Every structure is written in C-alpha cells, then in structure tokens.
Amino acid sequence: MTEFIQHLVNGLGLGSMYALIALGYTMVFGILQLINFAHSDVYMLGAFFGYYVSKFFNLSLHPGYGSLSAALLCSMVGCAIVGFFIERFAYRPLRKSPRINVLITAVGVSLFLEFGGQLLFGADPKYFAPLLEPGEPIFIGGVQLNRIQLIVLGVSLALMLGLQFIIFKTKIGRAMRAVSFSHTNAALMGIPVDFVISFTFMLGSALAGAAGILVALTYPKIDPLMGMMFGLKAFVAAVVGGIGNVTGAVIGALIMGVAESMVIGYLASTYRDALAFAILIIILLFRPAGILGKNVKEKV
Amino acid sequence: MSETLLEFKNVNVHYGAIHALKGVSFQAKKGEILTLIGANGAGKSTTLRAMSGMLKPSSGEVLFKGKRIDGTRADHLVAMGIGHAPEGRGIFANMTVEENLTLGAYLRKDKQEIQKDLEHVYELFPRVKERLWQVAGTLSGGEQQMVAIGRALMSRPEILLLDEPSLGLAPQIIEKIFEIIVKVNKEGMTIVLVEQNALLALEIAHHAVVLETGSAHTQGKASELLASDTIRKAYLGE
Ligand SMILES: Nc1ncnc2c1ncn2[C@@H]1O[C@H](COP(=O)(O)OP(=O)(O)O)[C@@H](O)[C@H]1O
Ligand SMILES: [Mg+2]
C-alpha cells in the first residue's frame, strides 16, 4: 500500500508538469481550434532560457528559492515572448486559410525550433545544474518526498490556480472565454480579438516555460529535442481530458502522470512511452471528445 | 430636419463571388427608428454587418457622425458608439446572463455608470434580472433576445442595430420586445431595426428602406410605405 501511494505521489508530480504544458495546448485549441505543435518546443526553450540565465548569473552557485524564482520568472517571460512571436508571425497571417495550411505551418514551426535549437545550443544534452538542493527527504507515513518534488507540486498548483483565477475571475479571462466561443460576437462586445489571442498564447507559453524549469529541476539533462516526447504526452493528456477544456487538461495530465508512474513502478520503465498512446487509443475508442469534452458535431 | 447620424453611400459588399449589396445608399437620422425590411436573403443582415465592422464593403462609404468607418475594426466601432445585437442573438451560451451583460460594457471603465445601465436594463427586462445567474444557453429564445438587446445597450451606444429581434418568438413576446424598442428610442436612442416582419417594423419606425436582392428598392417615411399599395402587396402579404 505504501508503495502504491509512493507511485501515486510520484505520478502526481509528473502529471502536474504535463498539466502545465497541456494547458497551453488546450487554451490555444479553445481559442483558435489549432493544434499548436510548436508548443512542446516552447517548453524546451523554457528549460534552455533557465539554463542560460542560470549560467550567466551563476545561479547554481547559490542554490535556493531566490535562484529558482529568478530562473522561473525569466523563463516564463522568455517563453511568453516566444509564444507571442509564433502567433503573430506564423499563425496570424493564416487566420483565414484552410485548417490544413495552419497545421502544416505548426509542424514547420516545431521543426524550426527543434533544429534551430540544435544549431544554437548544440545537439548534445546539457546538464542544468540544480537551482535547489533536494534536501533531506521527508517521510509521511512511509511515503518519501524530497524538496524538489514538493516544489514541483507546489509551483504547478499555484500556477494552475492562478490560471483558473485569470480565466474565471478577471476581465481578460472573460474576454478569452468570449473569444473562444465566437470571434465575431466577441468583437461586437468591443473585445480586441487579436490582442486576446496574443495574450492566450503568451499565457500558455509562460506555463510551458515554467514546466521547462520544473522538469529540468527533476531531470537535469536538457536537450533541444526534449520537447518531442514530453510535449507529445502533454498533448495526449489534453486530448484525453477533452481538448479545449482547461480543467480537462489538468485531469488528463494527472491521469497520464499517475499511469506512467504506476507502469514504471509495477511493470517496466520501457513501457512508459507506449502507455501514453495506449491511453490515447482507449480514449479515442470510447470517448473521442475526451473526459470533459463536449461531443461537438463536426461543423459542415 | 434632424442631423444624419449614419450614412451609406453607394455601398457594395461581396462574399467571394456573391454580390450581396449593390450600391446601397440611405441615411439614419439622429433619434429615429430606421427599419430595413425585405425578403430573406435581401441583404439586411449584410447591411448591419457593414455598419458594425463585421465586414468591409468592397466599395462605397459608410459614414458615422460624418466620419468614414468602412474598414474600421468592430471593437473600435463599439468604442465609437455602435451597438449591434446580431442575427441569431450572438449570446455567449456557456456564460451566465450577468457575464453576458457585463461583456457588453467591456470597454467601459465608469463602474458607477455601468451599474446604472445594468439597473436600466433590469428595468426594461425584469425577466433578465430574474435569470441573472443562469447560464445564458439555457434561456428561452425570448429571454436570449432580451439579453442580446440589453447587452448591446450596456456599451452605451449612440446607435443600436437590431437584427430580426422577433425571429422565432411567440407573438406576445414579440409585442413586449417591440414595446421596449419604442421605449428605448423614446429615451433618445437611434435605432436601425432589421425585420422580416415588415408590418410590425413599419408601425414603429420613422423611416424605412426596402431591400430587394441587394438593392435599396424603395425608401421613405414608414407611414407612407405602410399606406402604399405596392409595398402592401409585396411585403405585407396583401
Ligand atoms: N457569410 C456569407 N457567405 C456567403 N454568402 C452570404 C453570407 N452571408 C450572407 N450571404 C448571402 O448574401 C445575401 C444577403 O444575405 P443576408 O444579408 O444575410 O440577407 P438577409 O439578412 O436580408 O436575410 C444572400 O444571398 C446570402 O446568401
Ligand atoms: Mg438576416
């Protein structure tokens, strides 16, 4: 039983990192019906922003909450800016183009960032020196937790609550929901639709940036292709939860994280990647719109 | 003669290859109800869309308070004073009535005045006040239309564009909504009313434009059109 709870806790940590990325996928889909394939590479850039900021300011020489917060903030801001530019220059000119053109562009932007990253950062993995010492593990009824796990859970939770607050309690959040319901009707309310779309990209990208730092804190080896598998799983999580639905993305991601952690614990870690696709196939077979997704009729 | 608030000068609108408005010209005077009537597909909604920036005319001029507004973004036109309750009501079905109404005041910062306008909307539509916390998608058609009109009023427009507010509603509800339209107009609001229900519209309007397949077929005083035999035959089903 203790072992099970241990895997559960590990899985929730992993799942909350997936969630931070899945939220960006789902928000952009909600507002533009676009699968932003480049999103997983924004997450990768988040890790690299943190890496270079940390290197430049020698943050790892003074590990602690200050250093971590600084890296987190820089990375979130950096990714928000990248997200802004991706939308502005890759997707916006295609706003009225057929869906397939935009999809191909999204794949193109993703490849551009992945191979641009290899060119710029080098293809070899880099060691992101920890910004926080793991500290003495804490035991709660036999379940072991270290400081990094607690930070990952705490920061993700805080960010998700913050996002929930923005979406449901602020004016810009109300505008985001209006735009994702209908661009034209939102414009008739006086809502600057393009601004709201930019804001949504920036918000989602900032969360991906935070995920980049948290993942690097947990698995310090980073490389320009690190977004491929991790981001893909986050995308699957968004689909499982019901793409377009913010709460669904979190639920889907936690399910993914916990399932993966169980597979690692009880089966073999070699199955961990296959699992994501197994879950995806099951969901697509039995609940194609996802757990919280509405069964929308295909538009004609 | 009162001043012109909004004017179309030889406006053409295309949807791809479809020529939906063919050189339409007319004026809406400050303080009046102008009604656009005509059969389904005549171009009534298209005319409203060209007024509120939902689409850009391919040629011609749209003037609001003497300024060219064709090609101006819809959200900027809201700021300039154009409120549009669109065809099909355009309700945000997944949000509460309260959220829908406050979205109408999105660009405004005068909290106290917004509260005043909310009270005014409640006064006009007591039914809306009762449904404030209900998800708008669950309202009846009539209630949704009330929310749509109330929401457009929340931007405190100088001109209110209403696209077929009677569509799909029971006669008693239509009567109520038309009463409100007259009341809002009496309070000083200029209104452009699109209707397929020509008789009702002509009864409350000051001026009317009859659209036929994208052209302004006839225009003039509503009372005169009501009296005209050709109009009665063609549009009032007599
Ligand atoms: N989004 C659109 N795309 C293509 N054609 C349209 C569109 N909207 C309207 N039309 C066409 O333009 C003409 C005028 O339509 P509309 O303004 O909606 O008429 P009305 O409101 O008077 O019923 C019609 O022939 C209609 O088929
Ligand atoms: Mg119409």
Side-chain angles (χ1 to χ4, degrees):
Chain A
M1 188 60 196
T2 315
E3 192 190 349
F4 176 81
I5 295 176
Q6 181 73 58
H7 293 318
L8 186 70
V9 170
N10 295 348
L12 289 177
L14 181 60
S16 61
M17 293 188 279
Y18 286 144
L20 290 180
I21 306 173
L23 283 167
Y25 273 116
T26 220
M27 283 196 289
V28 163
F29 186 86
I31 212 150
L32 285 182
Q33 275 72 53
L34 158 72
I35 296 167
N36 176 18
F37 284 111
H39 188 60
S40 55
D41 305 300
V42 172
Y43 143 79
M44 171 275 290
L45 286 178
F48 274 91
F49 282 141
Y51 171 81
Y52 284 110
V53 165
S54 158
K55 203 166 151 178
F56 189 78
F57 294 103
N58 285 318
L59 292 181
S60 59
L61 296 184
H62 325 277
Y65 295 118
S67 297
L68 180 63
S69 313
L72 200 62
L73 199 69
C74 289
S75 170
M76 288 176 75
V77 170
C79 286
I81 294 170
V82 171
F84 172 83
F85 280 108
I86 291 177
E87 190 277 329
R88 182 66 189 78
F89 294 107
Y91 300 144
R92 191 175 301 179
L94 299 175
R95 196 71 64 69
K96 292 192 171 71
S97 310
R99 193 78 53 89
I100 186 76
N101 298 16
V102 189
L103 212 62
I104 292 168
T105 304
V107 174
V109 175
S110 172
L111 292 174
F112 172 77
L113 293 179
E114 284 165 11
F115 295 103
Q118 288 198 332
L119 201 68
L120 208 60
F121 312 135
D124 297 332
K126 294 203 158 35
Y127 178 71
F128 191 156
L131 295 175
L132 197 66
E133 278 152 2
E136 289 295 305
I138 307 157
F139 288 90
I140 305 167
V143 176
Q144 184 188 335
L145 269 171
N146 66 34
R147 198 153 68 135
I148 288 180
Q149 280 175 303
L150 284 174
I151 285 294
V152 166
L153 282 168
V155 170
S156 325
L157 186 69
L159 290 174
M160 285 185 253
L161 289 176
L163 180 72
Q164 199 78 5
F165 179 81
I166 290 176
I167 293 179
F168 290 101
K169 297 280 179 229
T170 67
K171 194 164 174 173
I172 182 79
R174 191 171 288 191
M176 285 167 67
R177 284 183 290 141
V179 173
S180 65
F181 193 81
S182 158
H183 290 203
T184 45
N185 290 334
L188 288 184
M189 302 297 105
I191 295 171
V193 173
D194 282 335
F195 170 79
V196 171
I197 291 172
S198 290
F199 181 82
T200 305
F201 266 82
M202 293 173 77
L203 201 58
S205 302
L207 293 180
I213 297 292
L214 296 180
V215 172
L217 200 60
T218 315
Y219 316 106
K221 236 171 61 178
I222 64 172
D223 73 88
L225 301 186
M226 66 189 275
M228 282 177 157
M229 189 48 77
F230 206 86
L232 189 62
K233 286 185 197 165
F235 169 65
V236 170
V239 174
V240 166
I243 193 146
N245 185 307
V246 170
T247 316
V250 174
I251 293 175
L254 293 180
I255 291 175
M256 289 281 295
V258 169
E260 192 171 330
S261 165
M262 295 293 169
V263 165
I264 297 170
Y266 292 111
L267 288 170
S269 67
T270 41
Y271 293 132
R272 63 188 295 183
D273 294 341
L275 173 80
F277 302 101
I279 294 180
L280 180 63
I281 290 166
I282 292 169
I283 279 287
L284 290 182
L285 280 178
F286 295 104
R287 213 178 147 74
I291 294 169
L292 291 188
K294 289 189 203 78
N295 260 308
V296 209
K297 263 191 242 146
E298 195 66 33
K299 279 189 192 144
V300 278
Chain B
M1 197 73 190
S2 62
E3 61 181 298
T4 299
L5 188 59
L6 191 138
E7 184 170 9
F8 266 45
K9 277 189 185 163
N10 201 21
V11 172
N12 284 281
V13 172
H14 288 85
Y15 294 104
I18 297 174
H19 197 173
L21 286 191
K22 301 164 187 160
V24 171
S25 303
F26 62 85
Q27 302 181 346
K29 304 278 182 209
K30 201 172 165 68
E32 75 163 342
I33 298 180
L34 171 72
T35 185
L36 307 175
I37 55 180
N40 200 5
K44 306 181 297 294
S45 299
T46 303
T47 305
L48 287 196
R49 287 183 203 126
M51 286 180 190
S52 67
M54 286 171 80
L55 51 77
K56 191 176 179 320
S58 31
S59 68
E61 296 182 7
V62 181
L63 299 146
F64 180 57
K65 296 195 275 187
K67 270 207 217 93
R68 284 283 292 266
I69 57 161
D70 42 286
T72 305
R73 271 166 43 182
D75 54 314
H76 291 163
L77 290 178
V78 176
M80 286 174 68
I82 297 182
H84 185 174
E87 183 169 41
R89 304 169 194 135
I91 288 294
F92 298 105
N94 57 345
M95 293 192 209
T96 64
V97 170
E98 189 266 347
E99 285 179 314
N100 270 276
L101 291 176
T102 26
L103 271 170
Y106 184 80
L107 290 173
R108 296 173 55 186
K109 303 213 154 53
D110 46 345
K111 283 221 168 90
Q112 284 178 345
E113 293 298 306
I114 292 175
Q115 193 54 42
K116 254 194 221 164
D117 287 354
L118 268 178
E119 298 296 337
H120 182 228
V121 170
Y122 301 157
E123 217 176 281
L124 294 173
F125 305 110
R127 284 268 274 284
V128 166
K129 189 176 184 185
E130 290 162 22
R131 302 276 188 275
L132 219 48
W133 307 107
Q134 203 165 317
V135 175
T138 63
L139 299 182
S140 71
E143 290 162 348
Q144 288 192 8
Q145 188 59 59
M146 293 174 188
V147 173
I149 297 175
R151 194 180 59 178
L153 286 172
M154 287 306 296
S155 68
R156 227 181 231 198
E158 283 184 55
I159 191 165
L160 180 64
L161 317 180
L162 302 175
D163 199 338
E164 299 210 40
S166 72
L167 193 72
L169 303 183
Q172 317 91 280
I173 311 281
I174 296 179
E175 199 177 313
K176 223 178 239 162
I177 286 182
F178 271 61
E179 267 170 32
I180 303 294
I181 294 172
V182 171
K183 188 167 174 197
V184 169
N185 170 249
K186 290 239 165 80
E187 291 168 359
M189 182 72 67
T190 311
I191 294 175
V192 179
L193 172 67
V194 159
E195 263 302 332
Q196 260 198 74
N197 194 331
L199 186 57
L200 267 180
L202 288 173
E203 274 170 356
I204 65 164
H206 302 95
H207 286 93
V209 177
V210 181
L211 285 171
E212 206 174 280
T213 55
S215 305
H217 171 269
T218 314
Q219 44 185 309
K221 283 209 163 110
S223 53
E224 285 167 13
L225 291 194
L226 256 183
S228 133
D229 277 348
T230 39
I231 296 297
R232 294 193 78 90
K233 280 212 180 72
Y235 297 100
L236 307 179
E238 287 181 10

